[in-house]
Amino acid sequence: MLCAGKKSYFAAAVCIITVTSMLAVSYLRLQRLSHQPKVIQEGRRCRGKIANSTITALKDNKTFIISPYFDDRESKVTRLIGIVHHEDVKQLYCWFCCQPNGKIYVSKAKIDVHSDRFGFPYGAADIVCLEPENCDPTHVSIHQSSHGNIDQLPRFEIKNRKAETFSVDFTVCISAMFGNYNNVLQFIQSMEMYKILGVQKVVIYKNNCSHLMEKVLKFYVEEGTVEIIPWPINSHLRVSSEWHFMQDGTHIGYYGQITALNDCIYRNMERSKFVVLNDADEIILPLKHPNWKTMMNSLQEQNPGTSVFLFENHIFPETVSSRMFNISSWNTVPGVNILQHVYREPDRKDVINPRKMIVDPRKVIQTSVHSVLHAYGNSANVPMDVALIYHCRKALQRDLPRESLIRDTTLWRYNSSLIMNVNKVLSQTMLQAQK
């Protein structure tokens, strides 16, 4: 025996490492073989009802499919963005129907529950299946078993099958709009600021909002700026408006925000050069550049190989106002007038400000809210003298006197364009008081 014949500890260690490596390689090979697609039926027509809901519950009711996306960055796979119970969902299979020969392939899925569940029993998940080598399926069905009748399963269209040229430079992803959202004025101001800064598309995962807000969304959809993704997550799960689990019987945090953000990245992977992940009350304000395009060109030149750019969040309390820009015709519109809030909270000792991101979507595998979980390429923190996130909301440091706040009028650089554009929207949506 090779191992028995060697007396030195070094030789024994080499032997153990060699045997362990061989076993590991054999295990990985068996694992990959177990996930290879297998033909189970031939000569079939591809039937099954096409799923047309944003969130589709499987029969086990512990797996929810958002959408599948073709992903060939490492191997030829279908990656389904979904929500699963982190303990109870152990096994899923992708069923592919290939035309014109009618072969049905079944592929065992790798279920990757994202690490940032924050204690909730349900979390965002990537359900990844190897595709058949000699077929480019257009649809996939998901089942807990490798046996059954595909005709009884919902079929999901696989998006991103064809590579496209970018139709836009910047897409903003907002998730999720809920709680009968009615901050109409600030929403319009954010939208118009995004457009001034170079955004062409805003994707909103909408759970619910006020009647007035619906009217504004309709305007932006018809304008071509906004795409609404219905997000009825509370029809399937008990949702929390908190980001961390409160032991209150809820299933998933912050209305499934993380799942929506991941879906938004994949949804825009082939059509947008950059994807911006922030909330509707947040605006990334460049300090050295007039817009995001010139800012990102500069940041990419300075940070080669970087695919994720993180911007520091700064709170501008909505309770502290300036007398400037008190525009009377806006007073009848519900919501905050951001032009009147130019005092920001100072940094807190030993507290790191959260960040939001501009990413190259083709380099992101999984994202959380304030950072990516898995990506190709590097992440870079953008210095505050280059850009910051203007975040107008309730104060975090509520006891600070006004003189302790920092006056920052960066937003006022855009005041004339912003006022003109907001007035135009209010006039066209009939929200502005008639003169």
Side-chain angles (χ1 to χ4, degrees):
M1 290 286 290
L2 177 62
C3 293
K6 300 290 184 180
K7 294 181 180 179
S8 71
Y9 289 115
F10 176 75
V14 169
C15 182
I16 290 167
I17 291 168
T18 302
V19 171
T20 303
S21 299
M22 290 172 65
L23 288 171
V25 169
S26 298
Y27 174 77
L28 290 171
R29 189 175 293 144
L30 285 171
Q31 281 287 95
R32 185 166 178 83
L33 283 172
S34 73
H35 287 78
Q36 287 289 342
K38 298 176 179 64
V39 178
I40 61 164
Q41 294 177 29
E42 294 190 46
R44 294 290 305 273
R45 289 187 63 190
C46 297
R47 296 190 178 94
K49 188 177 180 181
I50 304 291
N52 53 18
S53 300
T54 311
I55 304 172
T56 303
L58 299 191
K59 283 188 176 178
D60 68 346
N61 232 26
K62 293 190 175 181
T63 304
F64 304 89
I65 303 300
I66 313 305
S67 187
Y69 297 93
F70 176 61
D71 186 353
D72 64 349
R73 291 173 294 181
E74 290 183 25
S75 55
K76 187 170 176 271
V77 302
T78 291
R79 182 185 300 270
L80 296 103
I81 305 298
I83 297 169
V84 302
H85 191 284
H86 79 287
E87 289 180 331
D88 294 351
V89 180
K90 301 290 188 187
Q91 197 164 271
L92 292 169
Y93 292 86
C94 290
W95 290 50
F96 298 106
C97 182
C98 292
Q99 297 287 26
N101 57 22
K103 286 184 178 178
I104 308 292
Y105 291 84
V106 171
S107 178
K108 187 178 181 181
K110 178 188 174 188
I111 305 168
D112 187 1
V113 183
H114 293 204
S115 57
D116 54 349
R117 288 185 298 104
F118 301 112
F120 288 94
Y122 284 81
D126 289 6
I127 301 162
V128 184
C129 293
L130 286 168
E131 292 188 354
E133 288 183 5
N134 56 348
C135 165
D136 293 326
T138 58
H139 293 77
V140 63
S141 298
I142 306 294
H143 196 35
Q144 301 95 318
S145 171
S146 58
H147 306 285
N149 183 357
I150 192 172
D151 295 349
Q152 304 302 314
L153 303 177
R155 296 168 64 207
F156 300 91
E157 182 185 358
I158 302 171
K159 299 181 173 71
N160 295 354
R161 175 64 68 188
K162 294 179 181 177
E164 300 176 24
T165 54
F166 304 134
S167 56
V168 298
D169 288 325
F170 293 96
T171 296
V172 174
C173 293
I174 294 175
S175 66
M177 184 176 281
F178 62 89
N180 201 34
Y181 184 91
N182 194 41
N183 192 352
V184 176
L185 182 58
Q186 185 172 357
F187 177 85
I188 293 171
Q189 290 174 325
S190 291
M191 289 292 300
E192 295 308 315
M193 276 301 301
Y194 296 154
K195 287 157 65 178
I196 289 168
L197 292 167
V199 171
Q200 296 101 334
K201 182 67 71 175
V202 178
V203 180
I204 298 172
Y205 288 71
K206 182 174 76 74
N207 181 263
N208 64 45
C209 62
S210 71
H211 176 70
L212 270 180
M213 194 66 226
E214 289 281 12
K215 201 171 181 180
V216 172
L217 290 176
K218 182 174 182 289
F219 167 81
Y220 281 116
V221 169
E222 290 174 353
E223 181 188 69
T225 305
V226 162
E227 177 183 358
I228 299 293
I229 310 297
W231 196 243
I233 190 166
N234 47 340
S235 299
H236 303 282
L237 294 166
R238 290 195 296 275
V239 296
S240 172
S241 56
E242 302 291 334
W243 63 269
H244 60 290
F245 190 44
M246 304 289 286
Q247 302 292 334
D248 55 1
T250 53
H251 290 143
I252 195 165
Y254 214 69
Y255 279 73
Q257 175 188 30
I258 292 170
T259 309
L261 289 176
N262 280 272
D263 182 72
C264 197
I265 282 177
Y266 280 89
R267 188 177 291 268
N268 294 283
M269 193 169 277
E270 297 295 336
R271 60 187 187 185
S272 188
K273 186 175 181 181
F274 295 106
V275 165
V276 186
L277 305 176
N278 64 215
D279 295 335
D281 57 1
E282 296 172 327
I283 303 164
I284 296 173
L285 285 180
L287 276 73
K288 292 184 174 179
H289 305 90
N291 53 49
W292 286 356
K293 188 168 187 175
T294 54
M295 178 184 72
M296 291 308 298
N297 286 341
S298 174
L299 286 171
Q300 286 188 310
E301 283 178 16
Q302 295 168 29
N303 300 275
T306 298
S307 55
V308 177
F309 296 87
L310 298 111
F311 298 82
E312 198 170 281
N313 196 303
H314 288 271
I315 304 299
F316 290 71
E318 61 186 36
T319 49
V320 182
S321 299
S322 162
R323 293 178 181 176
M324 295 285 287
F325 303 108
N326 182 12
I327 300 169
S328 60
S329 61
W330 293 1
N331 292 339
T332 57
V333 183
V336 174
N337 175 7
I338 61 175
L339 285 170
Q340 291 191 285
H341 302 285
V342 290
Y343 292 89
R344 62 177 163 85
E345 295 182 356
D347 291 340
R348 292 162 290 173
K349 189 179 178 182
D350 302 324
V351 175
I352 298 172
N353 292 331
R355 292 176 180 268
K356 294 293 178 73
M357 298 173 280
I358 297 180
V359 305
D360 174 351
R362 289 152 303 285
K363 300 293 177 62
V364 176
I365 303 170
Q366 291 180 357
T367 192
S368 187
V369 179
H370 301 291
S371 64
V372 295
L373 301 178
H374 301 292
Y376 308 103
N378 303 320
S379 295
N381 290 336
V382 177
M384 189 178 157
D385 65 342
V386 175
L388 61 78
I389 295 179
Y390 173 95
H391 190 183
C392 186
R393 50 154 288 170
K394 292 177 182 175
L396 284 184
Q397 303 176 61
R398 296 174 188 172
D399 298 329
L400 277 182
R402 186 186 183 104
E403 53 269 23
S404 296
L405 299 174
I406 301 161
R407 189 171 184 267
D408 183 342
T409 59
T410 305
L411 185 66
W412 286 359
R413 295 179 187 175
Y414 306 93
N415 74 79
S416 58
S417 297
L418 182 58
I419 291 169
M420 181 179 68
N421 293 355
V422 170
N423 280 335
K424 193 180 295 183
V425 175
L426 292 175
S427 172
Q428 292 182 22
T429 54
M430 302 299 288
L431 292 180
Q432 196 171 45
Q434 299 297 312
K435 294 179 181 178

